[in-house]
Every structure is written in structure tokens, then in C-alpha cells.
Amino acid sequence: MGTGNQTQIRRIVISGYYGFRNSGDEAVLRSILLALDEQGKAQGVQVQPIVLSADPAWTSRMYGVESVRRMHPGDLWNALRRSDGLISGGGSLLQDATSAKTIPYYTGVMKLAQLLGKPTFAYSQGIGPVNRRWMDPLIRGVMKRSAYVSVRDAESAALLARIGVPSDRIEVVPDPVMGLPLPAGAAAAASVSALRADEPPLVGVSLRRWRSDGADLARAAEALVALSKRMPVRLRFLPFHTPSDRGASEQVLERLSGRLGVGSSAELAAPGDDPQQMLLEVSRCDALFGMRLHALIYAAGQMVPMLGLSYDPKIDQFLHRLGIQAIGTTDRLDAEAFADAASALLVNRAGWQAEHKPAIDLLKQQSQKPAQQIVQLLRHTLSR
């Protein structure tokens, strides 16, 4: 491959939860692709991604990249064989809360790349929870053999260190989505606040199903009713993972029907599958109430004041990096306390933005670090 002043071409396989039309994970992929492109141009490397996807045709159309079937052994083998390395991430890939198959799959892909002599890179991963101890050696083995390991919070780094990955090899970086820009041409339009003299403030709502009894969604509905009685608001539900979040939103909308305060309204958004369109939706909000991690990350990136409802430690970990506590959990949410906090944010958006801007700016700046390191390593190791 070319050296000197010539642009070097590097083919990199990207493994993650892609092609399932989950807005958060698709935003991770879009962010990684943009960061690799930007860092590649800065370092004279043309990065050619090959994305492992549940729906390769859709992924190729959405991002303009090559994509192959993530569960097809032949596709996986061929993609890795003709690549210069593998990126695993980002997102919560190495955890066993959703399934016992997740960790064996993602570590298996990394192991295969390593057996083929390809460098592997962990890109801003969220590690854990890991409840089955037999999973520890799978994670430790591939991480110790990786050329670069980055995780998205201190808790993930501590978990890796606890199972035997040397601490000095782990870099803590923000979630890649902190660096996601608005779609081209949208930035100027979005910079005008949705808060206008003749309209109530716009509150984005991102909920998901968690408790089987639905008590968490019922409490969220009561909290939104309480807010609507304090001040007129426009509630705009943002389904991050369709169709499941749409169902959760519809359930809450039904509970709100006929109960909102005077001048308040509620509606369901349909931003489609492009993560940057959802980012645009969030940027138009005056505040956001969110369960989905990436809804909160989108809000931070666009300086939208937020209230987080925690269902998983990753929510608290992200909020803590901004110096914020969750307003409640899936087991406990006080409607009046929520209404107090939400109305205070809406009345003093500028105060919230001034307080949290330094932490947010730092996270945005650091979100490029994994791409920068990976491009540098690919350029040097393969030029020798």
C-alpha cells in the first residue's frame, strides 16, 4: 500500500448492533464513520469501512458504505480476510443483561480477526453488566490482544481492570455520538430556539418499555400531567427504537388523553431511520425527558436541558459526567418533583446551558480520540 505523501487506503471492518434500525446504535455508527473519515483526511489515510449488519442493503443505502451479513460465517470470514483491521463498537456490546449470546458473538468476531492476524480496536465500548463469570475470560482474552481499547465511562474501565485487562491499556472516552453533527444545512435552522412567544415550550419525551407491569410508564405519564398543569407545554414523543418505543409512546399518550393542563398538547414524532434526523428533532426541543441513553446524549450535544429517567447504570454514568442526577428511576418517580425540575429548566434554559457547557464541550472534543488513535495505528503498523 502507498506510503510517503500518497493517500493510503485502509479497509476496516466495523462490528456492532447495526442494521436493526435502533436510532441510538445507528447514531453510533454514523458518528464512527464521520470521525474515521475526518481523522483519515487529516492523516492522509482513506478509510474504507465494511459494516457488519443485520440488513446490509439498508446499511449500504443509509451510509454509502460496503456492508455484509453480520451472522453469515462466509461473509464475516471474507470481510475480515481482505481487511486491514476490525473495530468493535461502540455501544453496550459486551453485556449479558439482554442475552447470553451477546458477549460470545462480539468477542467471537474479535477473536476471528485476531486469528487472521488483523489488529482489533475497541471503540468507546460500554462494558457490563457481566453477571456470568464464564464470560470474563472471553472478554479478557480479546481485549488483551487488541491494539487499542477505549471505553465510554470509568465504570467500564474498572470492570475490564477487575477481570484482568491492564488499566494502562484502557482509554476512557465519551460516547461517539457526542461528536455527531446535525444534517447538512440544518444547523442554522436549528439554532433558532423552538421557544417562541406565541407557543408553549417544546418538551421532547423519549421512553422505552422496561418493567413488565408498565408501572414506570404509568409514573412517567403522571409526571407529564403534573408538568402540563404547572405551565402549558407541547409534549413531543420521540421513538428511538421502532416499533417498540412507538408502542411505549402510544401507551403513555393514551394515559395523557383528556388529562393535560389548559394550553398543553401531546404528539408523536416520526423522524424516520436516519439518526441525524432524530438529532434534528431533539435540537428543536426546549427540554428533554429521556430514558434512552442516546436521547440524553443528543440533548447534551445540542445543549438541550434534560431530565433523565434511569433504567440502567449507563444512564447514571452519562449524567454524572455532566454533573447531573437522574430525576427518577423505573422504580421511583415523584410527579411533583419532576414538574418542579422540568418547569425550572424551561424557565431558565440559559442558566442550565451556561452551567453545563464546559463539560459538554470537553466531551465533544474528546469524542474524536478513538478515531484519531485508530487511524494513526493503522497508518503506522501497515506502513512498516
Side-chain angles (χ1 to χ4, degrees):
M1 290 187 182
T3 54
N5 295 328
Q6 273 181 294
T7 298
Q8 303 173 25
I9 293 172
R10 297 286 181 265
R11 301 171 70 83
I12 189 97
V13 175
I14 305 179
S15 163
Y17 190 73
Y18 306 133
F20 293 94
R21 292 170 171 69
N22 178 325
S23 186
D25 290 287
E26 297 305 330
V28 165
L29 177 57
R30 173 75 55 117
S31 304
I32 290 174
L33 293 172
L34 288 170
L36 288 172
D37 186 55
E38 190 177 322
Q39 292 302 324
K41 282 175 179 157
Q43 299 186 46
V45 176
Q46 188 192 335
V47 178
Q48 292 184 349
I50 306 167
V51 177
L52 304 180
S53 172
D55 187 345
W58 180 83
T59 296
S60 288
R61 275 198 314 277
M62 179 63 80
Y63 304 105
V65 294
E66 187 183 339
S67 181
V68 300
R69 294 170 290 182
R70 73 198 292 274
M71 298 303 283
H72 190 279
D75 282 12
L76 194 55
W77 175 268
N78 287 329
L80 288 169
R81 206 169 42 82
R82 58 197 175 91
S83 77
D84 296 305
L86 168 82
I87 284 174
S88 178
S92 308
L93 304 184
L94 301 181
Q95 49 78 25
D96 62 1
T98 52
S99 164
K101 297 174 185 170
T102 309
I103 291 171
Y105 170 75
Y106 290 112
T107 56
V109 173
M110 294 176 81
K111 182 84 177 158
L112 181 57
Q114 290 166 356
L115 289 171
L116 287 167
K118 308 295 180 180
T120 57
F121 312 98
Y123 198 121
S124 187
Q125 290 233 15
I127 316 283
V130 183
N131 299 305
R132 298 164 177 88
R133 293 281 64 86
W134 62 267
M135 303 270 191
D136 292 352
L138 301 182
I139 299 171
R140 179 171 60 242
V142 292
M143 288 297 179
K144 285 179 85 169
R145 289 179 186 83
S146 287
Y148 172 74
V149 175
S150 61
V151 294
R152 70 178 177 204
D153 48 60
E155 292 80 359
S156 295
L159 193 156
L160 285 183
R162 202 161 57 242
I163 66 171
V165 181
S167 298
D168 59 359
R169 298 202 55 241
I170 307 163
E171 185 163 43
V172 179
V173 296
D175 188 286
V177 177
M178 280 304 300
L180 186 66
L182 286 168
S191 64
V192 182
S193 166
L195 190 56
R196 296 180 183 87
D198 58 339
E199 285 184 316
L202 184 63
V203 178
V205 182
S206 162
L207 299 174
R208 60 163 298 166
R209 288 204 170 97
W210 189 250
R211 287 177 62 115
S212 55
D213 64 1
D216 46 354
L217 295 180
R219 281 190 284 269
E222 294 310 310
L224 293 168
V225 168
L227 170 62
S228 76
K229 290 185 171 168
R230 293 285 175 92
M231 62 193 295
V233 284
R234 287 178 294 150
L235 303 173
R236 191 157 166 80
F237 285 76
L238 305 170
F240 265 68
H241 192 181
T242 50
S244 59
D245 288 11
R246 181 183 298 279
S249 298
E250 285 167 349
Q251 200 179 319
V252 175
L253 279 163
E254 213 170 292
R255 285 181 171 274
L256 300 180
S257 182
R259 299 182 58 212
L260 294 176
V262 178
S264 291
S265 61
E267 64 193 18
L268 184 60
D273 293 322
D274 188 331
Q276 283 174 295
Q277 289 304 317
M278 181 63 97
L279 182 68
L280 187 58
E281 284 282 353
V282 172
S283 74
R284 291 171 173 150
C285 296
D286 297 300
L288 180 122
F289 172 41
M291 270 178 89
R292 285 281 183 197
L293 173 66
H294 285 101
L296 299 169
I297 291 173
Y298 281 14
Q302 297 304 312
M303 294 299 292
V304 173
M306 70 187 79
L307 293 164
L309 184 67
S310 178
Y311 73 94
D312 183 284
K314 67 186 180 185
I315 302 296
D316 303 292
Q317 288 155 11
F318 175 69
L319 293 172
H320 289 165
R321 292 183 83 166
L322 301 182
I324 299 171
Q325 295 282 338
I327 191 66
T329 69
T330 44
D331 298 321
R332 178 190 49 77
L333 176 64
D334 182 282
E336 293 306 321
F338 171 86
D340 286 343
S343 49
L345 283 186
L346 291 167
V347 168
N348 187 19
R349 292 179 75 234
W352 186 94
Q353 290 168 334
E355 183 185 346
H356 298 290
K357 189 175 190 302
I360 289 170
D361 285 349
L362 184 62
L363 291 180
K364 281 183 165 181
Q365 183 193 324
Q366 292 173 339
S367 67
Q368 288 279 325
K369 276 172 89 173
Q372 195 177 8
Q373 297 277 26
I374 290 166
V375 170
Q376 205 172 336
L377 286 164
L378 280 172
R379 199 181 56 159
H380 290 320
T381 52
L382 296 170
S383 301
R384 288 205 296 264

